[in-house]
Amino acid sequence: MARTSQADLLRALPQVEEALCSPEVHALESLLPRTLLADSVRNAINEVRQNILTGSCSEVDRQAIAEDACLRALENLKPSLRRVINATGVIVHTNLGRSPLADEAVRAVLDVAQGYSTLEYNTDNLARGSRHDHIEHLLCTLTGAEAALAVNNNAAAVMMVLTEFAAGHAAVVSRGELVEIGGSFRIPDIMELSRATMVEVGTTNKTHVADYERAITSNTALLLKVHPSNYRLVGFTESVGVADLRQLADSENVRRHTTERAESATTQLLVYEDQGSGAFIRLESFGSYAEPTVAESLRAGCDLVSFSGDKLLGGPQAGIIVGSKQAIDRLKKNPLARALRLDKMTLAALEATLRLYLNPDRALQAIPTLRMLSESSAIVHARAERLAAALDSTLDKTCAHINIVPETARAGGGSLPMCDIDTFAVQISFKRGCAHDCEAYLASRAVVPIVGRIKKEALLLDARTLVDENTPEIVEALQAFFDSLCDKAAPSHKEGAQA
Ligand SMILES: *Cc1c(COP(=O)(O)O)cnc(C)c1O
């Protein structure tokens, strides 16, 4: 008996062509290509087929299949890359796009994106210009460098510097600085890729000036210093600062010009720091954990410093290289400069962001990353209170209990790893449903995905990375989550009705 009825059910399933002709699916033909609709229909039918085979379906509802196919098809209209609300308290969150741009930067992007621009056109002499010119002067003013260049990201910048100056030669680096940044960026791998010979010196916890000194030969092209962004060695440690590396390089360069080494020597020994985060302003509130600024590294004697545009700088993704004119000129001529060059939208955002730094007080307010890093906990607390009050007045008291709790935020993006930033989070304790289901709902079903975190069965929304405009969106999404619990509890089983 059972077998016959299963076969009957399978026979009752519509053909893909039939379901495509249903009025519901047909109505979407002006919005979506037919192949996509056919895929959605096929998937909807397949799910019912699976349910029949596992015995969990006792009736084929063609109308329901068509509606399910429509919901699946409409998912395709949602952009894949879209805005999310960051309630994690991690300010430079690499998975969530690192730094939000300042309004000024966004306007600059719009302006050049919508029409033609002076990207490579000089309006003064009506001739071809260079895209480097838009930011070079600003970077020099802000860091004290002689020259500057920006490429796709800092990984590209490191790759380019190593290739230009150390390919076929040796680059000396401390074992304490052979870091992995995440996303498979590892110093030893990038050395290999650039065909530089990596000469490791010192030990994991201690490297001395003498270690570098012994390693330098006539073939040494670079003394590389890598800012160990995402971790800190504490305890019995020692590393060699830029000033000491400068002295070593100077002595070696004098030797190269005066002794027998001159003939075989690779022109000049350079000091290069991969600074990672690239702070322009010393964030004093972070005390001894504050990152060195780019200007400080240059003053200490680096020939070249590179850093990201979207970490502590708070701009778009970019890799910025500043340093001596001689070295930057060589980099500009490297074919990689063309391969890794910035597009007009990034350049516009970067220039606008850099302009804000001309007035550091303004930068701290206008650049979201800097504002979030430096905002007082009183301001963050007040923002948490406004969100908590909105949730408290909207959500049913039988659904959740709302609190404000002190928490620790993070700079993120491998910046300021030792720095605990005081913050306040809105804590949602669940009386109905649970934190894990809510977390999943907010990420996948809310109109704007909301990313928070769970601690002790409660959902935390960190106010340091939120703005007040997020409040109505968060209230609405949480309300929708609790409504969806009611729908589930009720006999009607319209899954996905909120979508
Ligand atoms: C982040 C980082 C990089 C990589 O920079 P991207 O801009 O992400 O490519 C390289 N080196 C250090 C030290 C970093 O912190």
Side-chain angles (χ1 to χ4, degrees):
M1 270 308 278
R3 194 166 288 172
T4 331
S5 92
Q6 195 177 62
D8 283 345
L9 282 171
L10 290 173
R11 261 193 300 276
L13 283 172
Q15 299 290 315
V16 172
E17 282 303 320
E18 279 176 78
L20 277 171
C21 294
S22 72
E24 295 86 355
V25 179
H26 186 71
L28 296 183
E29 274 194 8
S30 60
L31 290 176
L32 287 160
R34 207 177 149 82
T35 48
L36 255 176
L37 290 176
D39 283 345
S40 306
V41 162
R42 203 170 292 116
N43 291 337
I45 296 173
N46 277 342
E47 184 172 317
V48 179
R49 179 177 293 119
Q50 284 309 313
N51 290 342
I52 294 171
L53 293 174
T54 57
S56 59
C57 172
S58 54
E59 174 199 12
V60 171
D61 179 347
R62 290 185 166 220
Q63 173 83 19
I65 290 175
E67 283 171 11
D68 182 32
C70 287
L71 284 179
R72 288 168 189 263
L74 288 172
E75 277 294 302
N76 290 293
L77 291 177
K78 252 201 225 163
S80 168
L81 177 58
R82 55 198 208 277
R83 180 168 73 92
V84 305
I85 293 173
N86 176 8
T88 63
V90 179
I91 295 168
V92 181
H93 197 306
T94 295
N95 301 146
L96 303 183
R98 288 200 181 156
S99 287
L101 293 178
D103 292 344
E104 288 80 353
V106 173
R107 278 199 294 276
V109 172
L110 258 184
D111 208 34
V112 304
Q114 282 177 330
Y116 298 100
S117 63
T118 56
L119 182 63
E120 291 183 354
Y121 186 71
N122 188 322
T123 51
D124 289 334
N125 53 20
L126 313 185
R128 188 186 164 148
S130 160
R131 69 177 65 211
H132 302 312
D133 292 348
H134 304 294
I135 49 164
E136 181 163 18
H137 187 67
L138 279 166
L139 283 167
C140 293
T141 305
L142 293 167
T143 65
E146 280 175 19
L149 174 68
V151 290
N152 184 61
N153 57 13
N154 190 33
V158 177
M159 175 71 198
M160 209 169 128
V161 172
L162 291 178
T163 304
E164 175 61 38
F165 298 101
H169 302 291
V172 181
V173 61
S174 159
R175 290 196 170 89
E177 298 173 8
L178 289 176
V179 296
E180 169 171 320
I181 307 297
S184 71
F185 179 85
R186 293 172 147 197
I187 295 297
D189 296 344
I190 216 106
M191 285 270 189
E192 199 177 315
L193 196 62
S194 65
R195 292 181 297 109
T197 306
M198 180 169 71
V199 177
E200 304 171 36
V201 294
T203 60
T204 304
N205 58 329
K206 281 205 171 201
T207 304
H208 307 280
V209 176
D211 295 323
Y212 285 92
E213 203 164 12
R214 270 197 301 275
I216 294 171
T217 70
S218 58
N219 190 39
T220 310
L222 279 182
L223 299 181
L224 169 64
K225 194 154 176 63
V226 183
H227 192 66
S229 308
N230 46 9
Y231 84 112
R232 283 289 181 277
L233 281 171
V234 290
F236 188 61
T237 69
E238 194 169 322
S239 64
V240 179
V242 171
D244 287 328
L245 296 182
R246 176 76 269 153
Q247 276 197 351
L248 286 178
D250 284 346
S251 317
E252 172 64 14
N253 287 331
V254 167
R255 252 196 312 277
R256 282 184 191 179
H257 285 100
T258 54
T259 68
E260 75 284 357
R261 276 192 182 183
E263 261 130 72
S264 58
T266 160
T267 54
Q268 278 238 345
L269 175 57
L270 300 181
V271 179
Y272 163 45
E273 181 174 20
D274 168 16
Q275 214 187 48
S277 298
F280 277 11
I281 297 178
R282 222 173 209 289
L283 295 159
E284 293 301 348
S285 51
F286 302 122
S288 54
Y289 296 128
E291 307 268 336
T293 65
V294 177
E296 281 167 351
S297 286
L298 286 172
R299 271 202 305 276
C302 282
D303 294 290
L304 289 167
V305 178
S306 76
F307 50 96
S308 295
D310 54 357
K311 291 183 179 171
L312 291 186
L313 196 72
Q317 178 189 302
I320 299 167
I321 314 170
V322 295
S324 72
K325 177 152 179 7
Q326 200 183 12
I328 296 287
D329 278 349
R330 273 183 63 181
L331 287 170
K332 282 179 182 168
K333 291 195 194 99
N334 189 302
L336 282 175
R338 170 63 180 81
L340 303 170
R341 77 182 183 187
L342 290 181
D343 77 300
K344 62 188 174 190
M345 290 180 281
T346 307
L347 274 167
L350 187 55
E351 184 189 349
T353 306
L354 294 173
R355 274 189 197 290
L356 291 169
Y357 275 97
L358 294 173
N359 177 347
D361 290 334
R362 174 119 181 279
L364 281 174
Q365 285 309 310
I367 297 174
T369 296
L370 289 187
R371 179 184 52 70
M372 290 186 268
L373 278 167
S374 60
E375 210 160 52
S376 76
S377 18
I379 293 180
V380 177
H381 188 261
R383 187 182 303 124
E385 274 188 328
R386 289 190 293 275
L387 174 58
L391 288 170
D392 223 19
S393 66
T394 313
L395 299 180
D396 198 302
K397 299 281 176 288
T398 60
C399 290
H401 184 68
I402 311 293
N403 258 326
I404 294 177
V405 290
E407 268 295 323
T408 305
R410 296 258 155 225
S415 310
L416 305 165
M418 299 290 284
C419 166
D420 293 343
I421 305 169
D422 290 339
T423 187
F424 289 95
V426 172
Q427 179 193 51
I428 302 164
S429 309
F430 290 79
K431 296 181 188 164
R432 297 193 34 240
C434 70
H436 288 91
D437 288 349
C438 185
E439 182 189 37
Y441 184 95
L442 293 181
S444 68
R445 305 274 304 277
V447 181
V448 181
I450 299 164
V451 187
R453 68 197 157 87
I454 291 178
K455 189 171 174 182
K456 293 189 192 141
E457 299 304 311
L459 181 67
L460 296 184
L461 303 175
D462 194 315
R464 188 166 282 276
T465 47
L466 293 175
V467 287
D468 280 333
E469 288 80 67
N470 298 144
T471 296
E473 299 171 310
I474 294 171
V475 171
E476 188 187 326
L478 275 164
Q479 182 71 60
F481 167 71
F482 288 114
D483 288 350
S484 78
L485 296 180
C486 297
D487 290 354
K488 254 181 221 148
S492 138
H493 48 267
K494 273 274 155 69
E495 273 289 324
Q498 314 289 323

